[in-house]
Amino acid sequence: MKEYVIRTENLTKEYGGQTAVDRINLHVPRGKIYALLGRNGAGKTTTMKMLLNLVRPSGGSLSLFGEKDSGFSKSSCHRIGSMIEAPAFYENLTAGENLEILARLRGRHRRDTIEHALLAVNLDQEKKKLFREFSLGMKQRLGLAAAIMHEPELLILDEPMNALDPVGIQEIRKYLLRLCREKGTTIFISSHVLNEIEQLADVVGVMDKGKLLEETSLQELYRHSRRYVEFQVSDVNRAALLLERAFQISDYAIIGKNLLRLYEKIDSRAVINSGLVKDGVMVSGVKVDSGKLEDYFNELVGGDGSG
C-alpha cells in the first residue's frame, strides 16, 4: 500500500460564491515528484495555499504526513519547505542576511545552512548582493534557497521555474531531481508548462477550472504519445470484435463513431485491413501516426494549450 505525504478528500474553496477549487482528491506519494499541471487560474495556487494553511478550505479535508487536519499541525511546519507566488524578502538586506533571518527563526539544520542553500541554487557568488538589485530570476532562486535551506521532507513549489532562463531551468530541474532521488524528498510542484513537467514528474495531476481532471503516472500518460495505426471503418464495434478474435489484438482504442487506433501489430495493417473488408467492414482510411501529450491535455481541458 502506498504511503501518501499529501492526501485530500473533496477539498474545496469558494470565494464569494465562486468555486476556485472544486472537491479535489489528491494523492501525493512519499519520495516522488508530483506535478499539478493546469492553465493559469486553474486553482493550483489556491490548492497549495490550503495545504500550507494560508487559506482555509470551504469544505473537504486534507492530511499531511498522515495527520488529518483542516490545516497542518505546528510539528509539520519544520518538515515542509514552500515557495508560493513571487518570493518576498527585505529589499535593503543581502541574500545572505535574508536567509540568516530565516535560519534564526527556523533553527539551523547544519553549520553551513546558508552557504549550502545558496550554492544549491547557484547564488553562492551573490551572497552579499542586496535583494533589490536581484533580477527576477535571481529572486526566484533565492526563494527556492529559502524553501530548501532547512532540508524539509516535503517541498511545495508554485511555478518555481518562472522568470528563469533556459540554463537556470535546467539547473533547478537537475537539483530537484537529485533532491528527490538521493534524499527522498517529496516534491509537490505546480506548472502550466507541459514540457517542463515531462522532464521532472513521476505523477501528474491535471487541473482545470478548479477540478482535478486526471491523476496518473507519467508512464501512463506516455501511452497517449505512442505510435499507432488508425482505421476509419463503417462499423467500429464489429471491427473491434474482429480485432480481438481474429488477430488477438487487445491494445486498441475506439475514437468516436468510426475510428479505431491500434497500438500493436502496426506493421500488419495491410493484413488487418484485408481481414476487416473480408468480414464486411468497410475501411475508408488507414494512417500511421503518433499521439502528442499536448493534444491529450488539450482534450482534457478543452482548449488550445495547457498554458
Side-chain angles (χ1 to χ4, degrees), residues 136-174:
L136 285 174
M138 290 169 69
K139 289 178 179 179
Q140 200 75 359
R141 288 170 185 263
L142 189 60
L144 185 57
I148 57 98
M149 65 184 293
H150 59 299
E151 300 184 328
E153 296 174 46
L154 169 64
L155 263 180
I156 298 178
L157 305 173
D158 184 23
E159 302 272 7
M161 310 299 190
N162 274 359
L164 296 180
D165 58 31
V167 174
I169 289 173
Q170 186 178 42
E171 288 173 352
I172 296 302
R173 185 193 305 127
K174 286 180 178 178

Side-chain angles (χ1 to χ4, degrees), residues 285-305:
V286 181
K287 73 170 183 177
V288 177
D289 205 346
S290 59
K292 296 181 178 65
L293 277 181
E294 186 175 357
D295 293 337
Y296 176 64
F297 280 108
N298 290 343
E299 280 180 37
L300 281 177
V301 303
D304 300 322

Side-chain angles (χ1 to χ4, degrees), residues 13 15 19 77 83 91 102 123 136 142 152 197 223-224 228 237 253 306:
K13 181 60 186 178
Y15 292 103
T19 303
C77 294
M83 185 172 71
E91 295 276 340
L102 289 175
L123 283 178
L136 285 174
L142 189 60
I197 294 311
R223 284 174 55 85
H224 299 280
Y228 62 82
N237 293 320
S306 58

Side-chain angles (χ1 to χ4, degrees), residues 87 89 95 121-123 125-127 129-131 133-145 162-164:
F89 294 95
V121 298
N122 261 355
L123 283 178
Q125 300 301 313
E126 311 293 343
K127 180 181 176 180
K129 191 170 187 175
L130 293 177
F131 181 71
E133 297 172 356
F134 274 24
S135 66
L136 285 174
M138 290 169 69
K139 289 178 179 179
Q140 200 75 359
R141 288 170 185 263
L142 189 60
L144 185 57
N162 274 359
L164 296 180

Side-chain angles (χ1 to χ4, degrees), residues 183-252:
K183 300 210 170 184
T185 307
T186 304
I187 300 174
F188 184 57
I189 183 172
S190 75
S191 180
H192 64 279
V193 182
L194 177 58
N195 180 56
E196 196 176 282
I197 294 311
E198 282 186 82
Q199 301 177 67
L200 191 63
D202 300 301
V203 183
V204 176
V206 183
M207 204 168 177
D208 190 53
K209 297 176 183 175
K211 294 182 180 293
L212 189 66
L213 303 180
E214 183 152 349
E215 189 180 61
T216 187
S217 68
L218 193 64
Q219 288 82 3
E220 184 62 28
L221 283 181
Y222 276 130
R223 284 174 55 85
H224 299 280
S225 61
R226 292 180 299 163
R227 189 166 173 260
Y228 62 82
V229 57
E230 186 174 87
F231 289 89
Q232 187 170 355
V233 297
S234 59
D235 189 335
V236 73
N237 293 320
R238 187 172 177 178
L241 191 63
L242 182 69
L243 289 177
E244 293 180 9
R245 291 181 175 177
F247 297 99
Q248 289 75 51
I249 292 175
S250 58
D251 195 2
Y252 68 88

Side-chain angles (χ1 to χ4, degrees), residues 2-290:
K2 283 186 180 178
E3 182 183 356
Y4 297 113
V5 172
I6 298 174
R7 187 166 188 168
T8 70
E9 295 179 18
N10 297 318
L11 190 64
T12 301
K13 181 60 186 178
E14 295 177 353
Y15 292 103
Q18 297 293 318
T19 303
V21 176
D22 191 1
R23 295 170 294 174
I24 66 170
N25 298 303
L26 293 170
H27 305 83
V28 180
R30 180 177 292 280
K32 300 292 183 182
I33 299 178
Y34 184 116
L36 193 59
L37 180 66
R39 296 169 174 165
N40 293 325
K44 306 186 301 295
T45 299
T46 301
T47 298
M48 290 182 158
K49 285 181 176 180
M50 284 192 283
L51 295 175
L52 293 166
N53 208 24
L54 299 174
V55 167
R56 280 194 167 279
S58 304
S61 64
L62 64 92
S63 66
L64 297 177
F65 307 107
E67 298 178 18
K68 193 167 183 178
D69 199 352
S70 59
F72 60 88
S73 65
K74 195 171 181 180
S75 63
S76 296
C77 294
H78 297 288
R79 303 169 72 183
I80 301 171
S82 66
M83 185 172 71
I84 304 294
E85 297 180 328
F89 294 95
Y90 292 107
E91 295 276 340
N92 60 331
L93 296 182
T94 66
E97 289 168 342
N98 270 294
L99 293 189
E100 179 66 37
I101 291 171
L102 289 175
R104 289 180 182 180
L105 289 171
R106 292 174 180 164
R108 292 180 184 273
H109 286 250
R110 48 190 294 168
R111 295 181 68 180
D112 61 342
T113 290
I114 294 167
E115 291 75 13
H116 176 74
L118 289 172
L119 182 62
V121 298
N122 261 355
L123 283 178
D124 51 305
Q125 300 301 313
E126 311 293 343
K127 180 181 176 180
K128 297 183 179 180
K129 191 170 187 175
L130 293 177
F131 181 71
R132 65 167 174 258
E133 297 172 356
F134 274 24
S135 66
L136 285 174
M138 290 169 69
K139 289 178 179 179
Q140 200 75 359
R141 288 170 185 263
L142 189 60
L144 185 57
I148 57 98
M149 65 184 293
H150 59 299
E151 300 184 328
E153 296 174 46
L154 169 64
L155 263 180
I156 298 178
L157 305 173
D158 184 23
E159 302 272 7
M161 310 299 190
N162 274 359
L164 296 180
D165 58 31
V167 174
I169 289 173
Q170 186 178 42
E171 288 173 352
I172 296 302
R173 185 193 305 127
K174 286 180 178 178
Y175 175 71
L176 293 177
L177 284 168
R178 191 166 67 249
L179 202 60
C180 179
R181 305 295 181 252
E182 295 179 7
K183 300 210 170 184
T185 307
T186 304
I187 300 174
F188 184 57
I189 183 172
S190 75
S191 180
H192 64 279
V193 182
L194 177 58
N195 180 56
E196 196 176 282
I197 294 311
E198 282 186 82
Q199 301 177 67
L200 191 63
D202 300 301
V203 183
V204 176
V206 183
M207 204 168 177
D208 190 53
K209 297 176 183 175
K211 294 182 180 293
L212 189 66
L213 303 180
E214 183 152 349
E215 189 180 61
T216 187
S217 68
L218 193 64
Q219 288 82 3
E220 184 62 28
L221 283 181
Y222 276 130
R223 284 174 55 85
H224 299 280
S225 61
R226 292 180 299 163
R227 189 166 173 260
Y228 62 82
V229 57
E230 186 174 87
F231 289 89
Q232 187 170 355
V233 297
S234 59
D235 189 335
V236 73
N237 293 320
R238 187 172 177 178
L241 191 63
L242 182 69
L243 289 177
E244 293 180 9
R245 291 181 175 177
F247 297 99
Q248 289 75 51
I249 292 175
S250 58
D251 195 2
Y252 68 88
I254 295 174
I255 312 294
K257 294 181 179 179
N258 302 102
L259 294 178
L260 271 173
R261 283 184 186 172
L262 281 60
Y263 296 100
E264 59 178 311
K265 300 188 178 179
I266 294 171
D267 294 334
S268 301
R269 57 190 178 275
V271 176
I272 294 169
N273 182 57
S274 177
L276 289 170
V277 173
K278 191 178 292 185
D279 198 58
V281 177
M282 292 178 58
V283 179
S284 53
V286 181
K287 73 170 183 177
V288 177
D289 205 346
S290 59

